[in-house]
Amino acid sequence: MSTPKVLTVTLEFEMGDRKIHAARIKAAYEAAVSAAMEAAKGELLDGSVTTVRSRMTWDYRWAEQSAHYTDVDVEWAEDEDEPEA
């Protein structure tokens, strides 16, 4: 039996100071979701995607103050007290 997997793709559009109406935001969101679904269909095997969920959030924050993180390789030490199988 295979284990179900989830692929999460996050898109973040940083916008300028111009006033943007809700209809344009919704249209941009729908276009991004549609494009992502079409791209995934082109790369994944037929029938491999069973469900697509999407959501849109809106927040106000200073874009310049966003934190940027770098991937760091971490080696986890094995617990020596764990019994061997």
Side-chain angles (χ1 to χ4, degrees), residues 26-72:
K26 187 172 189 282
Y29 164 73
E30 289 172 352
V33 170
S34 179
M37 287 173 32
E38 287 302 313
K41 285 180 190 176
E43 298 297 327
L44 300 171
L45 299 174
D46 288 341
S48 62
V49 176
T50 59
T51 304
V52 175
R53 291 179 293 275
S54 66
R55 68 178 177 190
M56 179 175 64
T57 61
W58 183 262
D59 69 74
Y60 293 92
R61 61 183 157 84
W62 297 107
E64 298 84 24
Q65 300 303 315
S66 296
H68 296 276
Y69 300 95
T70 304
D71 287 337
V72 178

